[in-house]
Amino acid sequence: MRLGNPDVLWFLLGIPLLVLLFVRFNGIAGKRLQRFAGSGALPKLIKSKSVALSRWKFSLFAAAAAVLIIALARPQIGVEPMQVKRAGVDILVALDTSYSMAAEDIPPSRLAKAKREIERLADSFGGDRLGLLLFAGGSSIECPLTWDISTFKMFLNGAGFNSVQRGGSDISGAIRKGVASFSGSVTKSKVVVLVTDGEDHEGDPISEAKKAAEEGVKIYTLGLGSDKGAPIPMRDKNGSLIGYKKDARGEIILTRQNSAQLHEIALYTDAVFVSSQNGGMDITPIIESIHNLDKSDITSTRFTSYVERFQILLAFAVLLLFIEWII
């Protein structure tokens, strides 16, 4: 059970105060009557008045007030299925969590900036389903396609460099897994938003992009990093910098954005490429392009909601007031 308006329950604190006031003023009134008529004549003057009935009337009134307050809090019990109509597209965000995304040429880091832009992207869509795929040397669907934006953001906020156990950067595998995730989708438009610096150490991303185009999947690319390159910081468990990643010869590795490859991936699938090379990043072209895609009406999706049960309490409160009126 849950309450639709729980703040109303604070008014229940007024019921004990009401009881105290009744007892207090009832006692004062009794003393005044005794002083006026005297203890001997008082029973004859108010013969028709019953103290017991008076207390019963007040008890019923107080109980009715308490039940009415609980009814106004809108108790909800159980669930009720309901049909919901939505029109949208399916969007899978593929986020690179390889260590090259720790580079700080885009402050505070490429990964942190990517997560902020993805949040902005998520807030721009209403009837669309969103899913999250994380990849490095391997790929993992962290959040299946869902309309629940808060759930999507929860998984996004938890994404880090240890989210995918296998190190490296396999964009090809991410595209392949992303396209496969649409196998049960009935929407007209299917989109992968690839968020990465574009460095790929395995496979052939262009070949996978061509296959995605044949499947009707568009791949929007969001490139992070500078063309000059930046070192990959290494930090201890407390977040303190302990050095930079080096190659087998002991030289510091510089990671650069492969904008040419990302642009080509988007081009093959008739999508949009946005780069951060100039220091800024404006994902508006991606948002506008996805908004203009053909949307599918989905009416078979079932959701559940709590059923309002305040009517029973309301009827009981009315019954108590009716009995009080009769007395």
Side-chain angles (χ1 to χ4, degrees), residues 259-270:
S259 56
Q261 179 170 258
L262 293 176
H263 185 268
E264 196 171 355
I265 290 172
L267 192 63
Y268 269 111
T269 61
D270 192 26

Side-chain angles (χ1 to χ4, degrees), residues 290-307:
I290 294 176
H291 273 307
N292 291 329
L293 295 177
D294 291 336
K295 293 178 172 54
S296 300
D297 291 327
I298 302 175
T299 57
S300 59
T301 305
R302 298 179 71 86
F303 293 83
T304 56
S305 65
Y306 286 92
V307 182

Side-chain angles (χ1 to χ4, degrees), residues 10-23 58 62 66 69:
W10 287 105
F11 288 105
L12 286 173
L13 296 177
I15 301 298
L17 179 61
L18 195 64
V19 173
L20 290 174
L21 290 174
F22 173 79
V23 173
F58 174 77
I69 290 170

Side-chain angles (χ1 to χ4, degrees), residues 30-46:
K31 289 177 181 179
R32 287 179 176 176
L33 282 172
Q34 284 184 354
R35 284 200 301 267
F36 170 74
S39 58
L42 185 60
K44 298 177 181 178
L45 291 173
I46 56 171

